[in-house]
Amino acid sequence: MSTLLIGLKTGIFYLQEKTWKCKTCLESDVLIEVKGFSFCQHKFPLIYHSPVLKKLITESSCDEIRLCTCALHDIPNGASSFEFVAKFCYREKIELTSSNVVPLLCAAYYLDMTEDYMKGNLISQLEIFLSERILSNWEDTIVALHSCEPVLHCAEKLDIISACLESLAYKALYGKSYYLHPQQQMHWNGIGYMDEAPPKLVGSGSSLDWWFHDISSLSLHLFKRFIGALDSMGHDPLVISNAVIYYADKYHTKLNSNSTGNWPIDQRMLLEEIVSLLPVQKGVTSTKFLFSVLNTSIMLNANVKFIQSLEKRIGTQLDESTMEDLFVPNLGYAKEVYDANCIQRIIEQFVKENFNVSEIACNSANKECLTETDSKLLAALVKLLDGYLLNVADDRNLNFQQFLSLANAIPMGLRHCDDDLYRAINSYIECHPQLSDQQKERLCQLIDIQSLSEDVCREVVQNEKLPLRVVVKALFFEMHHLKGSLIELESDNRIQMVVGPETENVMESVEGRDLMVRCVQLKKECAELKKDMKRIKKAKNVKKTSITWGSFFVKRFFSGRVIKALLAAPKVGNRIAN
């Protein structure tokens, strides 16, 4: 810590209870009251250094022993500062430090102890010490800034706070050892002038966050000013965002309490103030932090507009979030564990921000209209939403409309694969047995059967809990896949039904053997299908065919073979598919 001794004498003043007295041969002729303390002084030293004290003493009333009494209750920092002022007037040694220079300077300005009034007066000595010794040192500037709190109004008026903040901002930008020499700057309270700026610090990690801890000790209004100074100097928004997050972590226990009662307004305001300091650039602030702030704001019952602004902000960069981020607790009167409506709004905001209506319509028509970047964004969103749906599907209090709206947040046709969507819907149906057939139908309409993998399509066929229409449609496309596979395998010259010299090499490999087995299975399946088709054609000639179709279908539904035969018939297959 920087210090400076000024004055020559020692031991002049002593404190008796709450009265400061002088060890001189002369009786005191003035008594000055300062916020609970009394100072027994002599007129001449005080009048010689301060025109304010001169006027105060001259206009004061004196008693019969010519002891003038006056009050000085408005002096900045009260008796602590006036003690130093009095000692300076008597030329007693005083020690200037980073913790007392600002309050003392405010008191000196209050008493108008300028160079014009007396050469070598207190103000000039304090300003030199502040400019050359304090503002040049990071730690001393931090201490001086803290000392501004008791004299905030006066320090603000004298631009001392601005000088400290700008000094810190320059050091955060150019390096801790950076210092503006007095010849490069205007005055200590106008530190913004520079002949030429040094190169900014670049890099990542600890090299740019060395100042976070010290700055986080500032009060909120001073921290806001510091962040504003950094921003005006063009500091990296990512570093500024990380600094704000670091500062917010100091209040983590307060802002993330488990209590959900009526929170003090100052805590809600604190949260809103911190968020207002975050840079507005997309992706600069981590989505995880924004989600944590959203959770806390809901817990604190923050302003609705503030919560909506957070949702929109998260919605612009939702692709950067993880599954755990989406589990926003529902703290309202509803019984749902998680706030699905909040996540739905965030997802809709993301779609609105990143995809226009024409792109969505085009992609929904099975056309590739999105750029590679947009496709990656979409894939990340789909994976995130479908995973979230699967996790919240077992919440028995999540009502049908909420789940439906959430699943429909991504327009149909934008998913390249609907496997995870099917699993989420199937899980919701299993956990909500009270759903009507109509509700199940509406959920399953969101699934694009053509976007299911063969394995999942086969699973749909065997799922007894799904509506019959969905299962039949899945059967149709399973047969479509099956026929395609058969044609592909039969056209492969490497596969021969009769093993000969040309196929020996193929059979030696595992792949070749697997293909051969699959081919044989498909051949048998086709033969069985042909037999079933013949039986169906004969059934068409029977008069009761129209009556027995439904019962025939239900009885043989899970046999698989007859259904496949039905779908293989052109007229029946086309009608079911439609």
Side-chain angles (χ1 to χ4, degrees):
M1 178 182 290
S2 300
T3 61
L4 176 66
L5 286 175
I6 58 175
L8 301 173
K9 304 175 183 179
T10 59
I12 297 178
F13 282 87
Y14 66 94
L15 181 64
Q16 186 176 6
E17 293 183 351
K18 288 192 173 184
T19 302
W20 284 95
K21 296 183 177 181
C22 302
K23 293 181 180 179
T24 62
C25 56
L26 299 175
E27 289 291 334
S28 299
D29 55 4
V30 62
L31 179 66
I32 300 178
E33 301 285 348
V34 184
K35 293 184 177 179
F37 285 83
S38 299
F39 291 82
C40 294
Q41 308 279 287
H42 299 86
K43 295 178 181 179
F44 180 73
L46 302 179
I47 292 173
Y48 183 71
H49 288 85
S50 169
V52 174
L53 289 176
K54 178 180 180 180
K55 181 180 179 181
L56 183 67
I57 293 171
T58 303
E59 295 177 353
S60 63
S61 58
C62 301
D63 57 17
E64 62 277 2
I65 59 173
R66 295 185 178 181
L67 179 66
C68 299
T69 303
C70 50
L72 199 64
H73 297 307
D74 294 333
I75 186 171
N77 206 37
S80 297
S81 291
F82 189 74
E83 174 194 343
F84 281 91
V85 170
K87 289 180 178 180
F88 175 79
C89 292
Y90 281 81
R91 296 189 178 182
E92 182 171 354
K93 282 185 179 180
I94 58 175
E95 184 180 40
L96 302 181
T97 66
S98 55
S99 60
N100 65 22
V101 62
V102 173
L104 189 51
L105 185 57
C106 290
Y109 265 102
Y110 177 82
L111 297 174
D112 201 16
M113 302 174 73
T114 64
E115 196 74 8
D116 293 336
Y117 190 74
M118 189 201 79
K119 189 175 181 180
N121 213 343
L122 185 57
I123 289 178
S124 61
Q125 296 193 50
L126 292 174
E127 284 186 345
I128 292 173
F129 178 68
L130 178 63
S131 176
E132 297 187 358
R133 301 282 293 277
I134 301 301
L135 296 181
S136 63
N137 182 278
W138 172 269
E139 288 80 9
D140 285 332
T141 306
I142 289 288
V143 174
L145 199 53
H146 279 291
S147 71
C148 292
E149 293 288 356
V151 290
L152 194 62
H153 177 72
C154 183
E156 188 71 72
K157 185 178 180 180
L158 296 174
D159 285 333
I160 300 175
I161 293 178
S162 297
C164 292
L165 290 172
E166 289 182 19
S167 175
L168 293 175
Y170 274 116
K171 288 177 173 61
L173 189 59
Y174 300 117
K176 188 175 183 179
S177 60
Y178 176 70
Y179 169 58
L180 282 176
H181 191 273
Q183 293 180 353
Q184 293 179 282
Q185 60 190 28
M186 295 169 57
H187 188 257
W188 63 266
N189 60 0
I191 202 169
Y193 171 78
M194 290 174 49
D195 291 336
E196 183 178 355
K200 296 179 183 179
L201 287 176
V202 294
S204 60
S206 60
S207 62
L208 294 180
D209 60 10
W210 58 267
W211 47 270
F212 285 9
H213 177 73
D214 291 335
I215 293 300
S216 67
S217 65
L218 299 178
S219 59
L220 181 59
H221 66 276
L222 291 180
F223 179 76
K224 286 175 60 179
R225 294 275 301 276
F226 174 77
I227 293 298
L230 284 181
D231 186 53
S232 64
M233 293 177 185
H235 208 320
D236 185 356
L238 180 60
V239 178
I240 293 178
S241 176
N242 290 337
V244 175
I245 293 174
Y246 188 96
Y247 187 85
D249 284 343
K250 285 188 58 179
Y251 302 91
H252 179 76
T253 54
K254 293 181 181 179
L255 297 180
N256 291 284
S257 171
N258 292 325
S259 175
T260 57
N262 293 323
W263 288 82
I265 296 178
D266 59 342
Q267 289 196 22
R268 301 176 204 169
M269 292 177 61
L270 170 65
L271 187 65
E272 295 179 14
E273 291 279 8
I274 288 176
V275 172
S276 69
L277 297 177
L278 294 170
V280 296
Q281 291 88 336
K282 178 181 176 181
V284 168
T285 304
S286 71
T287 311
K288 182 175 291 294
F289 176 74
L290 292 176
F291 263 113
S292 68
V293 173
L294 177 62
N295 292 339
T296 304
S297 63
I298 294 174
M299 198 176 297
L300 293 174
N301 194 24
N303 185 277
V304 175
K305 290 185 178 180
F306 174 70
I307 294 177
Q308 290 174 346
S309 67
L310 274 175
E311 291 177 352
K312 289 182 178 180
R313 190 163 189 169
I314 294 172
T316 62
Q317 54 187 65
L318 183 62
D319 54 304
E320 299 175 6
S321 60
T322 62
M323 181 63 61
E324 291 74 17
D325 297 334
L326 301 185
F327 297 131
V328 177
N330 191 347
L331 300 176
Y333 294 103
K335 298 180 180 179
E336 294 83 4
V337 178
Y338 301 111
D339 195 339
N341 292 330
C342 172
I343 299 302
Q344 179 188 341
R345 291 191 296 268
I346 291 174
I347 292 174
E348 290 174 347
Q349 179 66 28
F350 180 83
V351 174
K352 179 182 177 181
E353 286 280 338
N354 294 279
F355 310 102
N356 58 49
V357 177
S358 59
E359 287 176 334
I360 294 175
C362 181
N363 239 61
S364 299
N366 296 321
K367 298 177 182 179
E368 295 296 334
C369 304
L370 300 178
T371 63
E372 183 179 354
T373 302
D374 288 344
S375 296
K376 290 181 180 179
L377 281 177
L378 183 59
L381 176 63
V382 168
K383 182 179 180 181
L384 201 63
L385 174 59
D386 291 349
Y388 178 78
L389 285 170
L390 186 58
N391 275 276
V392 301
D394 58 357
D395 181 2
R396 297 187 181 277
N397 292 317
L398 183 61
N399 65 58
F400 166 75
Q401 192 58 49
Q402 281 182 314
F403 186 84
L404 178 67
S405 299
L406 188 60
N408 203 30
I410 298 180
M412 187 174 180
L414 289 185
R415 290 178 172 86
H416 289 294
C417 180
D418 279 19
D419 286 4
D420 290 336
L421 177 62
Y422 158 72
R423 294 188 182 98
I425 290 176
N426 183 50
S427 176
Y428 184 79
I429 291 175
E430 287 181 352
C431 295
H432 298 78
Q434 75 277 11
L435 292 177
S436 65
D437 291 340
Q438 185 180 8
Q439 289 175 324
K440 293 179 183 179
E441 284 273 2
R442 291 184 64 187
L443 286 175
C444 291
Q445 284 175 0
L446 301 177
I447 303 172
D448 185 0
I449 300 296
Q450 299 182 66
S451 297
L452 295 176
S453 64
E454 292 187 37
D455 291 339
V456 173
C457 193
R458 191 174 300 115
E459 182 183 331
V460 173
V461 171
Q462 300 171 359
N463 193 335
E464 300 180 18
K465 295 182 177 65
L466 298 182
L468 187 60
R469 185 187 301 274
V470 178
V471 176
V472 173
K473 195 171 183 180
L475 271 170
F476 176 80
F477 286 106
E478 186 186 6
M479 278 301 305
H480 179 74
H481 292 316
L482 186 64
K483 289 181 179 181
S485 299
L486 179 60
I487 294 172
E488 181 181 348
L489 288 172
E490 284 185 334
S491 63
D492 193 337
N493 293 328
R494 295 176 302 166
I495 304 300
Q496 302 291 334
M497 294 305 295
V498 179
V499 178
E502 297 179 357
T503 60
E504 289 180 357
N505 293 334
V506 177
M507 290 298 295
E508 290 177 358
S509 66
V510 175
E511 182 182 2
R513 287 196 299 272
D514 291 343
L515 288 172
M516 180 66 79
V517 172
R518 180 62 176 153
C519 183
V520 173
Q521 291 175 344
L522 291 173
K523 286 285 187 181
K524 290 180 179 179
E525 187 69 24
C526 284
E528 293 174 355
L529 288 175
K530 290 179 181 179
K531 292 179 182 179
D532 287 334
M533 286 184 66
K534 290 180 181 179
R535 286 196 294 270
I536 293 174
K537 288 179 180 179
K538 290 181 180 179
K540 290 181 179 179
N541 297 324
V542 180
K543 292 182 179 180
K544 294 183 179 180
T545 298
S546 59
I547 302 176
T548 58
W549 264 118
S551 58
F552 173 76
F553 184 82
V554 173
K555 290 178 181 178
R556 300 299 301 276
F557 179 78
F558 292 103
S559 68
R561 191 180 304 163
V562 173
I563 296 300
K564 292 173 183 177
L566 284 171
L567 294 174
K571 293 182 179 179
V572 179
N574 291 336
R575 186 165 61 251
I576 294 175
N578 294 328

